[in-house]
Amino acid sequence: MDLRLGLISFEDYLETLAGVYESYRSAVDGDRLSLIEASQRRWTTSASLVYEKGMLVAFIYDLMLRKLTDCRASLDDVYAELFRLSATGQRSANETIISLLSEREGLKTFARDYVESAAKIDLEAILPAYGFQVGFSGSGATELIPGHDLTKDQRKLLGCLGFRK
């Protein structure tokens, strides 16, 4: 939201995500707890894990959705849809969100893979398909940077996020 409103730059956006990823990777339970389990245990384990993992999962989902829809949809649209849903019914909030995340073709297993399972989030493996690279600065800090030799589709996707080079 801050990026879209012009409150931060694209570089600030990537720097924030890189910092979150670095913190997530250093968390003891990062790859042992699903996002749901991290949420349930936020009072008895590292409280930041749920927020870090949640932010990374949201970033990945947004990239996947934008790529699948040629930038015609984003996580913003899913979030807005969540608030349009009726609050009545027998489903829990988690079930409602998981259902919403899984609705679109190409994202049917996303919630299972990133929300319900304890799989490690490996941005080094995930991000190249979307035009990003994970690197390390001279001081060893994690960096997210636009890749070199971007395809037309990757350049468009990064442009939808605010990349202007």
Side-chain angles (χ1 to χ4, degrees), residues 83-98:
F83 286 99
R84 284 192 288 273
L85 292 174
S86 171
T88 61
Q90 300 298 317
R91 296 193 322 188
S92 71
N94 285 340
E95 291 169 330
T96 300
I97 292 167
I98 287 168

Side-chain angles (χ1 to χ4, degrees), residues 22-143:
E22 190 169 310
S23 182
Y24 163 77
R25 285 189 350 208
S26 68
V28 175
D29 293 328
D31 59 352
R32 291 197 309 235
L33 296 175
S34 71
L35 189 52
I36 292 174
E37 291 167 330
S39 172
Q40 293 166 341
R41 296 181 188 186
R42 71 186 171 279
W43 308 117
T44 59
T45 61
S46 171
S48 64
L49 177 63
V50 68
Y51 301 108
E52 292 160 353
K53 195 164 191 172
M55 186 179 224
L56 295 172
V57 167
F59 175 54
I60 295 165
Y61 186 87
D62 189 53
L63 289 174
M64 294 175 80
L65 182 57
R66 286 174 190 264
K67 183 177 180 181
L68 285 169
T69 64
D70 197 32
C71 289
R72 289 186 305 277
S74 71
L75 185 57
D76 294 349
D77 300 307
V78 177
Y79 194 65
E81 180 62 26
L82 179 62
F83 286 99
R84 284 192 288 273
L85 292 174
S86 171
T88 61
Q90 300 298 317
R91 296 193 322 188
S92 71
N94 285 340
E95 291 169 330
T96 300
I97 292 167
I98 287 168
S99 174
L100 195 56
L101 292 175
S102 304
E103 275 182 0
R104 296 189 186 256
E105 196 59 42
L107 294 168
K108 299 286 185 197
T109 64
F110 182 87
R112 183 193 69 215
D113 296 342
Y114 290 99
V115 177
E116 298 176 289
S117 81
K120 176 183 169 188
I121 295 174
D122 183 4
L123 292 186
E124 290 95 329
I126 296 167
L127 293 185
Y130 302 95
F132 289 102
Q133 292 177 299
V134 178
F136 301 94
S137 70
S139 66
T142 303
E143 295 179 320

Side-chain angles (χ1 to χ4, degrees), residues 3 7-18:
L3 178 62
L7 301 173
I8 63 171
S9 68
F10 183 70
E11 291 75 20
D12 292 337
Y13 172 69
L14 294 183
E15 188 177 313
T16 298
L17 286 166

